[in-house]
Amino acid sequence: MRRRPTPPLPQRNGLDPARLRLPAEGEWATVRDHLVERLPRVAPERIDMMLREDRIVGLDGPIRGDTPYRPDSYVWFHRDLPVEVPVPFDIGIVHRDDDLLVVDKPHFLATIPRGQHVMETALVKLRHDLGLPELVPAHRLDRVTAGLVMFVVRPELRGKYQTMFRDRLVHKEYEAIARHDPGLELPCVVRSHIVKERGVITATEVPDVAPNSETLVELAERRGEVGRYRLQPRTGRTHQLRLHMSGLGVPILGDDFYPVLTEKPLDDFTRPLQLLAKVLAFTDPVTGEPRRFESRLELSAWNRPGEWAAG
């Protein structure tokens, strides 16, 4: 495989520059012509300004307005940042060594830059705050889910740890708060076929199709009409735990997606989804030693139900 070239632009506030590979075929006379067509959401005047300010560069230096188009070459630039509402919760450090960083990600904070969330993401904040510019995630956690996320400090080890997650060699336990149903027989194993279409915000379960997801659901504790559940996913489909709990008739408290999609403003930090990535355990692929990390966070609907209900 061809190795990606090193970006000629440095990080900005912990954020890598965007990289575009110019197509092998095309009739554009200049790089500028291609960028205007390639980036329809960016006004041509804005592209021209970035070119004048030497903010778009190739391996040989800044791209000019008349730089000829060269197939299979690369250009880099820093995107204009969206206006973001600061997430008013801290990231907790659970473990740090020369190879790994394990943190407690709060609710409402995305793991990596995507869409409207760029600076207000765990990766960018940790790179900047801890002075770790080469930090990379070993896996991801939904923005609205709190709990353990593991990052790799040395990029040359990224493949080993990401492969471990891909091959399901990591034991994961989640904690969820939901309504208690005395008629629900637990523990139980939920299996279904989950489909997530690109551009559609929610996932769906397709009946009468071979399962591609599996979750062990247990009731850990009950307080009146509310239960604290232990969830052990054996696969990692998008929104798997939320779909499976909803399918059992006990949707997770604070779930704005399932069973009914409810739009929630990005600056509304009330009633977070009561789902916590509680445990990560595995045999370290580098050292061969057993590792186990446990979140220090608590779910407010269980420990402070009045505060959670009041928002």
Side-chain angles (χ1 to χ4, degrees), residues 96-101 132 134-136 151-155:
R96 181 179 179 180
D97 59 34
D98 292 339
D99 296 338
L100 295 179
L101 173 69
L132 297 173
E134 296 184 311
L135 192 70
V136 289
F151 295 85
V152 184
V153 177
R154 293 192 288 156

Side-chain angles (χ1 to χ4, degrees), residues 15 52 67 119 135 154-155 173 208-209 222 302:
L15 186 65
R52 290 195 299 269
T67 298
M119 298 301 295
L135 192 70
R154 293 192 288 156
E173 292 183 17
D208 303 322
V209 180
R222 173 192 173 188
W302 185 256

Side-chain angles (χ1 to χ4, degrees), residues 11-259:
Q11 288 183 352
R12 185 178 66 182
N13 297 324
L15 186 65
D16 292 322
R19 177 183 66 91
L20 292 182
R21 182 177 180 178
L22 306 188
E25 298 181 359
E27 299 180 355
W28 304 280
T30 65
V31 175
R32 185 262 182 199
D33 293 341
H34 173 69
L35 293 177
V36 168
E37 183 175 326
R38 178 86 170 265
L39 306 173
R41 295 184 180 181
V42 182
E45 296 79 13
R46 180 59 180 159
I47 292 176
D48 291 335
M49 179 178 293
M50 293 174 70
L51 291 169
R52 290 195 299 269
E53 295 175 351
D54 294 342
R55 293 179 55 189
I56 303 176
V57 303
L59 288 175
D60 299 327
I63 302 296
R64 310 297 180 185
D66 59 353
T67 298
Y69 182 84
R70 189 170 68 182
D72 283 331
S73 61
Y74 293 89
V75 297
W76 290 263
F77 58 92
H78 282 288
R79 299 181 185 274
D80 291 330
L81 298 177
V83 177
E84 299 180 68
V85 178
V87 177
F89 309 110
D90 296 329
I91 303 174
I93 306 298
V94 176
H95 172 85
R96 181 179 179 180
D97 59 34
D98 292 339
D99 296 338
L100 295 179
L101 173 69
V102 182
V103 304
D104 262 331
K105 184 189 78 66
H107 295 288
F108 304 112
L109 186 69
T111 302
I112 63 172
R114 185 178 182 183
Q116 301 180 70
H117 308 284
V118 180
M119 298 301 295
E120 290 296 312
T121 60
L123 177 62
V124 172
K125 284 177 172 288
L126 291 167
R127 280 179 171 179
H128 180 265
D129 295 347
L130 301 181
L132 297 173
E134 296 184 311
L135 192 70
V136 289
H139 65 120
R140 302 179 189 180
L141 200 61
D142 284 350
R143 186 180 73 92
V144 292
T145 303
L148 297 177
V149 182
M150 191 170 81
F151 295 85
V152 184
V153 177
R154 293 192 288 156
E156 64 268 24
L157 301 179
R158 178 180 185 176
K160 293 181 182 294
Y161 289 105
Q162 286 185 332
T163 298
M164 179 181 66
F165 279 90
R166 184 199 66 192
D167 293 344
R168 303 174 189 172
L169 299 177
V170 179
H171 173 76
K172 301 178 183 178
E173 292 183 17
Y174 286 74
E175 187 174 283
I177 310 302
R179 180 180 66 87
H180 175 256
D181 180 359
L184 183 61
E185 294 186 5
L186 296 176
C188 72
V189 175
V190 182
R191 299 181 181 91
S192 69
H193 189 91
I194 294 176
V195 174
K196 175 68 168 66
E197 297 182 9
R198 187 181 183 92
V200 179
I201 193 171
T202 56
T204 56
E205 291 180 286
V206 181
D208 303 322
V209 180
N212 61 2
S213 64
E214 181 177 314
T215 305
L216 172 63
V217 180
E218 302 173 281
L219 179 64
E221 192 175 354
R222 173 192 173 188
R223 289 180 183 171
E225 298 181 353
V226 178
R228 181 171 65 87
Y229 295 84
R230 182 184 301 110
L231 312 179
Q232 296 183 43
R234 293 168 179 167
T235 54
R237 298 290 171 177
T238 300
H239 299 173
Q240 174 177 321
L241 301 181
R242 299 161 71 176
L243 276 166
H244 284 173
M245 289 294 285
S246 180
L248 290 173
V250 286
I252 300 172
L253 295 183
D255 196 340
D256 295 313
F257 282 17
Y258 309 100

